[in-house]
Amino acid sequence: MVATDFSTRSDRALRRATLLARQTGALISILHVVDSDRPEYLVSLDRAAAEKALAELSQTIRHVDGLPCDYRLVLADPFEGIAATARSQKADLLVIGPHRRQILRDAFVGTTADRVIRHSAVPVLMANASPLGPYRRVLAASDLSQPSVDAAAALKRLGMASGAELTLFQAIDIPEVALMMRATTPPHEINFHIEKREAAATEDLHAFAGALPLSPRHCIARMAEGKPGVAILQASVKAEADLIVIGTRGQSGLARLLLGSVAEAVLRSATIDVLVVPPPDQADEG
């Protein structure tokens, strides 16, 4: 399912969905939500224009791209309509375009994209980059938790990274390094300690990878010199990845007001595509 507002940003999502559908044999369903919280005459005008645009888009996908495609027009709050429709239609994947970086910058929280991702019961792919072909290199972020397993399982189930080189990455915290620096420990001793901790964490990551439904080519654990989200972005650049995969923990009540600092940081700043995978029981939370 592709959510569109008919902008250039949404075009990226539609083209990525087209590539994935061709790769996996999936049906494309284009979704547009008309904001119903407005005067009736405006809603009516937007609905008519959107119906025409959706029909033309789906026809292009069917006749030009040769792929099965339908569309849905929903009257609702934008984020609620997107999340609810993807859930009710049992979409395997929801594809959305990037948020408006130039305008929002660090104000990612509260955008429609952020709210959809926080409340979605299905995996969400934010299509940030211009799609040029199938994914070639994937960086899967891990903290040795069940969400990491769920994310890998979703990646395999969706078939969207078939044939891609997979790197499993963990950003680790080594708090004693700050103490060592304050104690004026020689730099070579600090570096040796970091290397030991990273080597041990990499071994644990290799062991964890054995339980995953996918076999990563590389397992890398590195100290997060700043925030983990920043370390993940840096690792994706070094790996020349074109897709980052992140699993999220289940949330309810007030905890759902925050997406999570790691995923939020990645989504706010990533220039490549990001797949966010909710836990399997998120669908039960509505």
Side-chain angles (χ1 to χ4, degrees):
M1 180 164 285
V2 188
T4 181
D5 60 4
F6 308 115
S7 66
T8 302
R9 294 175 299 108
S10 293
D11 285 345
R12 294 185 191 179
L14 185 58
R15 297 323 300 172
R16 173 53 68 184
T18 301
L19 286 172
L20 290 173
R22 183 172 288 113
Q23 182 180 346
T24 63
L27 164 73
I28 297 175
S29 186
I30 308 174
L31 168 67
H32 178 73
V33 179
V34 174
D35 189 348
S36 58
D37 188 21
R38 293 176 303 152
E40 186 175 344
Y41 77 95
L42 289 178
V43 172
S44 180
L45 287 173
D46 282 357
R47 182 176 184 174
E51 183 85 33
K52 182 174 183 292
L54 287 170
E56 291 175 351
L57 275 176
S58 62
Q59 185 176 24
T60 298
I61 297 296
R62 289 194 301 270
H63 296 299
V64 177
D65 294 290
L67 297 169
C69 179
D70 63 18
Y71 68 86
R72 284 172 172 77
L73 179 62
V74 176
L75 302 182
D77 173 88
F79 104 85
E80 290 178 350
I82 293 171
T85 304
R87 180 171 57 248
S88 66
Q89 296 300 315
K90 298 181 180 179
D92 299 296
L93 176 68
L94 174 62
V95 188
I96 63 175
H99 60 93
R100 296 181 177 90
R101 300 177 191 284
Q102 294 83 354
I103 299 174
L104 295 170
R105 296 195 178 183
D106 290 337
F108 175 70
V109 175
T111 68
T112 296
D114 163 64
R115 296 171 74 191
V116 167
I117 292 169
R118 281 188 285 119
H119 291 266
S120 178
V122 305
V124 179
L125 176 66
M126 180 178 278
N128 290 313
S130 298
L132 301 176
Y135 294 119
R136 299 175 298 109
R137 297 183 181 89
V138 178
L139 183 88
S142 174
D143 57 2
L144 309 185
S145 67
Q146 184 59 41
S148 299
V149 178
D150 296 336
L155 187 64
K156 181 176 182 180
R157 181 177 68 252
L158 293 168
M160 54 191 293
S162 178
E165 179 180 298
L166 176 63
T167 296
L168 193 62
F169 177 79
Q170 182 183 14
I172 63 172
D173 184 27
I174 311 179
E176 64 270 23
V177 168
L179 297 175
M180 295 172 73
M181 293 177 69
R182 284 198 292 269
T184 64
T185 304
H188 71 275
E189 292 186 17
I190 296 177
N191 291 335
F192 179 71
H193 180 76
I194 292 173
E195 290 173 1
K196 282 183 60 179
R197 288 291 308 275
E198 289 180 340
T202 298
E203 287 186 12
D204 291 340
L205 197 59
H206 273 287
F208 177 77
L212 297 180
L214 290 172
S215 299
R217 180 170 297 184
H218 308 287
C219 292
I220 302 171
R222 291 288 182 269
M223 182 181 77
E225 297 181 11
K227 295 182 178 180
V230 175
I232 292 170
L233 290 169
Q234 292 172 340
S236 71
V237 172
K238 190 170 183 179
E240 298 182 342
D242 45 18
L243 175 66
I244 297 173
V245 181
I246 301 177
T248 62
R249 289 176 171 80
Q251 298 175 333
S252 59
L254 293 177
R256 256 186 147 163
L257 293 175
L258 295 176
L259 173 63
S261 59
V262 176
E264 179 193 317
V266 172
L267 287 162
R268 185 194 303 122
S269 303
T271 55
I272 62 175
D273 293 4
V274 181
L275 175 66
V276 181
V277 180
D281 59 357
Q282 187 113 319
D284 298 332
E285 298 177 14

